[in-house]
Amino acid sequence: MFKRKSMLAVLTAILAFAGVFFFSQMNRADYQDILDRGGLSTNAYVFKSPKQSSIVALNQTFAAQHDLENYQVQYQLPHSNTVYLYGAGNFKTLPLISGRFFNDSDFKSQIPVAVVGKKVAKKLYSPTEQSYLKYGNRYISVIGVVGNRSSSHLDNRIFISTSTKQSLTAAKVNKFRIVIDGKPYLKKRTTFQSILAAKTPIHLVPRRTPIVGTSWLARYWGYGLAIVLVFILLVGVAELGVIVSRPALVTNVLQATTRWQIFGREWRQFAVSSLGGLLVGGILGMWRLYISQYTALWWLLLAFYLVTQIYYGGRLYYYLRQQIKSGKD
């Protein structure tokens, strides 16, 4: 009996690790998409402003709104790999190969600096340890190189800081596609919309369903299906647990004073073994695999646990009632 219950814990651990693996693959794909979007999340909004003002004037308006925090503004021109960036507080950044990303001091400085992708970095002017990006007839200090081992659109991107005091481009705001993102999501969206005098913004990643976009479904449906399969297999483990527990219930089914005690004991033992298996498999997966959304993963593991416990308890209760009924008959 003990050996069988131990095997159930091992199976639970294996399935928990499998669930973490598929979740990790989703995280990797999501991370690659973020790199392709230049560090912007699926929660980012695209604004189109009719204003004829400069980027500097707009940045000053943003800075004057003290309730706006933890956001980045990317000014993007059509068919260009150059992004003019302004931000405040803590916002999503990009993986660094060297150097650093922009900070609040860059968004207040009179001197522009640049962060570039790894392919652009190969073309920089580097007379000393400091590298420079040629922009028109001037050179800009490069403070960081972004990218990772995989190739992405990020490799060819150029990010140039703008601030409340400077902008290298003289183009007016209405010429840009303005993308604003927050961390963990954009707050005060209506305030940004009012400042920009913009119509209702759209999601950077279009949504065609109430929760996620069709593009999300198209990319991740396979991983989602695999996680559903893990749920089904865990239910199968719970059914095996019921089968293992049946002999104890049958032996004591006619003893009215102990049958529910046996039921409670079996359920507690299964609950403990399931929890142990899920924790071992889950923590091992977190240790060995790439995870970026730990909170969501813990919720997934909790869902695994609750589903197995509800199924096991329900099936064991049903079986016990059937045995009691047949005993009375």
Side-chain angles (χ1 to χ4, degrees):
M1 180 73 73
F2 176 77
K3 182 181 290 187
R4 292 178 181 178
K5 291 183 177 180
S6 298
M7 285 302 300
L8 293 177
V10 171
L11 286 174
T12 301
I14 292 171
L15 290 174
F17 184 86
V20 175
F21 172 78
F22 293 122
F23 188 86
S24 170
Q25 295 304 107
M26 290 178 67
N27 278 186
R28 285 183 178 277
D30 183 58
Y31 185 61
Q32 190 65 38
D33 287 344
I34 290 174
L35 295 184
D36 288 341
R37 293 191 296 266
L40 297 166
S41 73
T42 56
N43 295 317
Y45 284 92
V46 179
F47 296 82
K48 185 64 179 176
S49 176
K51 285 192 169 184
Q52 300 279 336
S53 59
S54 67
I55 286 179
V56 171
L58 189 58
N59 290 348
Q60 290 171 349
T61 305
F62 288 143
Q65 299 290 324
H66 299 296
D67 60 334
L68 298 180
E69 57 184 14
N70 301 331
Y71 66 90
Q72 63 169 307
V73 183
Q74 292 195 9
Y75 300 97
Q76 303 174 354
L77 287 170
H79 313 297
S80 174
N81 284 327
T82 300
V83 175
Y84 303 93
L85 197 144
Y86 176 76
N90 183 22
F91 55 86
K92 292 181 178 68
T93 59
L94 292 161
L96 286 162
I97 294 174
S98 63
R100 65 174 178 86
F101 203 68
F102 304 117
N103 56 35
D104 281 342
S105 63
D106 296 316
F107 302 130
K108 298 174 184 177
S109 174
Q110 294 181 340
I111 302 173
V113 289
V115 173
V116 301
K118 60 185 181 183
K119 288 185 178 179
V120 178
K122 297 177 181 179
K123 305 173 185 177
L124 297 176
Y125 173 59
S126 305
T128 61
E129 292 184 359
Q130 174 62 53
S131 297
Y132 298 89
L133 173 72
K134 192 173 189 304
Y135 184 92
N137 56 2
R138 64 179 293 177
Y139 287 89
I140 309 167
S141 295
V142 174
I143 60 172
V145 177
V146 290
N148 64 2
R149 288 179 295 180
S150 302
S151 297
S152 69
H153 298 313
L154 179 65
D155 299 341
N156 295 306
R157 292 284 183 92
I158 298 170
F159 299 90
I160 298 176
S161 67
T162 68
S163 74
T164 54
K165 298 177 182 177
Q166 65 79 25
S167 173
L168 283 183
T169 177
K172 301 301 181 184
V173 169
N174 64 340
K175 301 296 183 183
F176 290 93
R177 177 178 183 251
I178 302 173
V179 187
I180 306 180
D181 196 10
K183 186 177 181 180
Y185 58 89
L186 183 63
K187 301 176 182 178
K188 306 289 184 181
R189 177 172 59 88
T190 54
T191 303
F192 286 104
Q193 185 177 344
S194 176
I195 291 172
L196 293 165
K199 295 180 180 179
T200 303
I202 61 173
H203 282 98
L204 177 62
V205 179
R207 299 186 176 186
R208 299 289 186 268
T209 66
I211 300 176
V212 296
T214 52
S215 59
W216 189 96
L217 292 173
R219 184 166 177 80
Y220 299 118
W221 72 268
Y223 302 127
L225 190 62
I227 290 175
V228 170
L229 178 61
V230 171
F231 269 105
I232 294 172
L233 291 175
L234 283 170
V235 168
V237 171
E239 180 64 28
L240 289 176
V242 173
I243 294 172
V244 170
S245 298
R246 281 179 181 178
L249 294 177
V250 170
T251 302
N252 297 277
V253 71
L254 297 179
Q255 302 175 26
T257 57
T258 60
R259 60 192 178 204
W260 292 110
Q261 294 176 356
I262 299 296
F263 171 81
R265 185 196 69 188
E266 292 297 314
W267 198 353
R268 284 194 300 273
Q269 289 179 353
F270 181 78
V272 171
S273 66
S274 295
L275 181 61
L278 285 171
L279 287 177
V280 170
I283 293 173
L284 182 62
M286 293 180 198
W287 175 48
R288 298 298 300 174
L289 303 171
Y290 170 80
I291 303 294
S292 62
Q293 299 171 311
Y294 283 95
T295 301
L297 178 56
W298 280 113
W299 278 110
L300 177 64
L301 292 174
L302 177 61
F304 283 163
Y305 182 71
L306 292 177
V307 166
T308 55
Q309 296 312 302
I310 291 170
Y311 181 87
Y312 177 87
R315 285 283 292 123
L316 199 63
Y317 176 82
Y318 175 78
Y319 179 76
L320 179 57
R321 297 299 300 179
Q322 290 295 107
Q323 289 296 313
I324 292 172
K325 184 178 178 180
S326 62
K328 287 180 178 180
D329 294 341

